[in-house]
Amino acid sequence: MRALYPGSFDPVTLGHLDLMQRASRLFDEVIVAVLRNPGKTPAFSLQQRKRQLGLATADLANVSVESFDGLTANFARRQGCAVILRGLRALSDFEFELQLAHTNSSLCSTVETLFLATAARHSFLSSSVVKEVARFGGDVSHMVPAGVAEDLDRHFNSD
Ligand code: ADP
């Protein structure tokens, strides 16, 4: 069974990576899909985010990295994914994620959304928190995969 793990990953965190590692043991194939969202101005370009994800998942043989625009449900169908994977960190994620899951199932009834609970040690992590800490020069090396902390430092502190 093939699963799609969609997100912005701006940038990928150890919370995302933990979810990918666990998903890689549950599914035959996992496609990590970076959403190209014209409504948001990301810190990292699509190419940078794909590179960061590619490096972070290099040792996971059944995980690949793609990008897409448009509806997640359509992309999942086109890729032959029976499952859309999302992570739940706290109750605050639940309302939005449930709405998204219902929307996707109304668009494509054959794709199921499955939620994985975040590892407790990563439950405080989000891409926004990581960017906020890096912006003010804090150490993010325990929050992101190897190499991403350097990318953040270059992004926020080079002039
Ligand atoms: P989006 O902008 O689509 O929410 P994100 O890149 O922020 O994309 O997150 C993608 C998915 O990963 C979401 O389901 C989110 O709940 C989940 N996620 C985010 N942070 C973590 C974390 N620390 N641990 C596990 N899952 C996470």
Side-chain angles (χ1 to χ4, degrees):
M1 189 182 277
R2 191 179 285 170
L4 186 76
Y5 180 32
S8 309
F9 307 109
D10 184 41
V12 57
T13 69
L14 289 182
H16 294 131
L17 184 59
D18 173 71
L19 204 128
M20 290 168 204
Q21 287 163 338
R22 288 156 56 209
S24 78
R25 296 194 288 270
L26 291 172
F27 297 95
D28 299 308
E29 272 181 66
V30 177
I31 301 176
V32 177
V34 189
L35 172 64
R36 188 199 309 265
N37 185 348
K40 277 190 189 172
T41 309
F44 297 103
S45 69
L46 203 62
Q47 287 69 27
Q48 284 174 305
R49 284 179 278 158
K50 282 182 76 177
R51 187 182 53 79
Q52 291 164 346
L53 283 162
L55 289 173
T57 58
D59 60 339
L60 301 174
N62 61 343
V63 175
S64 58
V65 181
E66 305 282 344
S67 56
F68 74 108
D69 40 30
L71 295 171
T72 305
N74 286 349
F75 186 68
R77 191 170 22 201
R78 280 207 306 278
Q79 296 293 313
C81 293
V83 163
I84 294 175
L85 267 183
R86 297 287 288 177
L88 285 178
R89 283 164 294 193
L91 198 57
S92 49
D93 281 340
F94 183 77
E95 211 170 325
F96 174 68
E97 291 293 343
L98 190 65
Q99 190 181 27
L100 209 56
H102 286 153
T103 306
N104 284 328
S105 113
S106 80
L107 293 169
C108 180
S109 59
T110 56
V111 180
E112 288 289 348
T113 298
L114 289 185
F115 298 109
L116 283 183
T118 297
R121 68 185 182 288
H122 296 314
S123 60
F124 68 101
L125 282 179
S126 69
S127 298
S128 317
V129 159
V130 164
K131 282 183 281 194
E132 199 64 8
V133 173
R135 183 192 307 276
F136 296 109
D139 179 18
V140 291
S141 56
H142 58 298
M143 301 180 184
V144 290
V148 176
E150 289 79 1
D151 290 347
L152 282 158
D153 188 47
R154 254 192 307 279
H155 179 78
F156 287 114
N157 303 312
S158 69
D159 22 43

